[in-house]
Amino acid sequence: MTAPFPNPPRESVVDRFLRYVKIDTQSQEEQSTTPSTAKQWDLARMLEKELARLGAQRVRTSEHCMVYATIPSNLGDAALAARVPTIGFLAHVDTSPAVTGTNVKPIVHANYRGGDIILPGDPTQVITVAQHPALTDLIGDDIITTDGTTLLGSDDKAGVATIMTMVDLLGANPDLPHGNIAIGFTCDEEIGLGIEKFDVAEFGARYAYTVDGGELGEISDETWSARTATVTFHGKSTHPGTAKGVMVNAIHAMAHFIMRLPHDMLPETTEGRVGFVHPYAGSADIEKSTIKVLLRDFDLSGLDAKEKMLRDLAADSERANPGARAEIEVKENYRNMKDVLADHPQLVENAMEAARRAGLEPFMYPIRGGTDGSKLTFRGLPCPNIFTGGHEFHSKLEFNSRRGLEKTTETLVHLARIFVEHAERALRQTQ
Ligand SMILES: [Zn+2]
């Protein structure tokens, strides 16, 4: 393969990635601070130093472990520069609380020849071709896995490493035209809370991309919309020996409710663009029984319908259990960013074009989850998501590859340039 840009980066994206994944940055639920874990500072501080060394400007880290930096425009033509919006690139430093990120030992399986990959640190952990058909596309590539005892943390150190290498490449290739670029590294994405502390004005971008997706070519401008319902049944406790005609057991009302959630509307039975209702935690007592239910749907009307269904079912359970009283409280978690991104189709079009220039076949993929971008989009920073080449996030079988990291990096560099080309075209039309 010939190099896509005249000068190589100072450090290859693979070497950078292998360095970052060894730094434990696992976030943790139920903490009162941001960042939720102090160890996320280790990578944030390192990135701050490296950004400065790579020539980034205004490099700073907030008290909440958010790293911000700017790559100034290199456009000589002031009229053109004024027309190119500041584009942001974002990735998160933390890894999932689901699987340990302590002592990650990445393994490079050079020139993969096909077949299952047994992870040597725990031979029961096997990446099989049967379960991971994407492996067949990686023959001849260098696959990067763990030793099977930890997650890899490609989610989202692949995003961090590719953005850093983009900065490196832009510095090494001053002839590649780009406008102002804002760089942001966030903490606590995996627990959904860090982004609340992200300062959109401070970041300074007009549009941004999270680099936090999966398979090469996968671009997302929609997540589903998410609500959480807390359904509480109130009963009446009494000594069970003298309970006849007096006791109202809220546990029965709750059980009645749960049993009537439609089986074909659960996470276990749905995929693709189909939403779900998901009872996931609760407590059972005679006086008061509570069940928390996640509601997910790509359409707000579908989400409203699911909420109405829960309210109706709770009312039915109330009726079926005389004396019991149902209460339901619904909170919004995040909304489908497509509602806003539909007004900015050029963001996805430019990302698709950038991926094509990197030799990929881009495709749209609706995310069954949220991203930092879904919150930012509704805070005035439209923010689709771009692939990283990673697979099997949040697991010991997580993997990425040399080509995954290199093609993602190339895509980011092309993307910066495409915004300049569009501004050039617009400028020509006005002249
Ligand atoms: Zn992620």
Side-chain angles (χ1 to χ4, degrees), residues 87-92 154-160 162-163 184 186 189-190 195 207-224 298 335-338 340-342 344-355 360 362-377 381-391 393-394 408 411-412 415 419:
I87 302 301
F89 292 100
L90 290 157
H92 61 91
S154 174
D155 175 14
D156 188 22
K157 283 157 185 167
V160 175
T162 54
I163 291 172
T186 62
E189 190 272 351
E190 296 290 359
I195 204 64
Y207 308 108
Y209 295 88
T210 48
V211 186
D212 193 17
E215 194 179 333
L216 279 180
E218 169 194 299
I219 293 165
S220 304
D221 68 348
E222 63 178 324
T223 62
W224 52 27
F298 285 93
R335 275 169 59 193
N336 187 343
M337 58 187 176
K338 180 90 179 184
V340 173
L341 291 179
H344 305 279
Q346 79 280 10
L347 298 183
V348 163
E349 282 161 20
N350 291 358
M352 305 271 267
E353 171 61 18
L360 303 171
F363 60 96
M364 298 301 295
Y365 177 80
I367 302 173
R368 290 174 68 82
T371 63
D372 274 349
S374 37
K375 293 251 175 68
L376 294 175
T377 294
L381 181 62
C383 194
N385 190 44
I386 295 182
F387 52 87
T388 62
H391 297 267
F393 293 175
H394 305 187
T408 303
T411 300
L412 302 184
L415 187 48
F419 278 92

Side-chain angles (χ1 to χ4, degrees), residues 298-320:
F298 285 93
D299 296 310
L300 279 182
S301 61
L303 199 61
D304 286 341
K306 288 186 170 64
E307 181 177 332
K308 181 175 184 307
M309 180 190 75
L310 288 194
R311 290 183 187 281
D312 290 346
L313 289 178
D316 284 355
S317 299
E318 203 178 53
R319 273 192 294 276

Side-chain angles (χ1 to χ4, degrees), residues 63-101:
E63 55 174 332
H64 293 298
C65 198
M66 302 287 168
V67 184
Y68 304 91
T70 306
I71 314 299
S73 161
N74 65 353
L75 303 171
D77 177 344
L80 176 61
R83 276 186 171 264
V84 180
T86 299
I87 302 301
F89 292 100
L90 290 157
H92 61 91
V93 299
D94 66 315
T95 63
S96 168
V99 179
T100 178

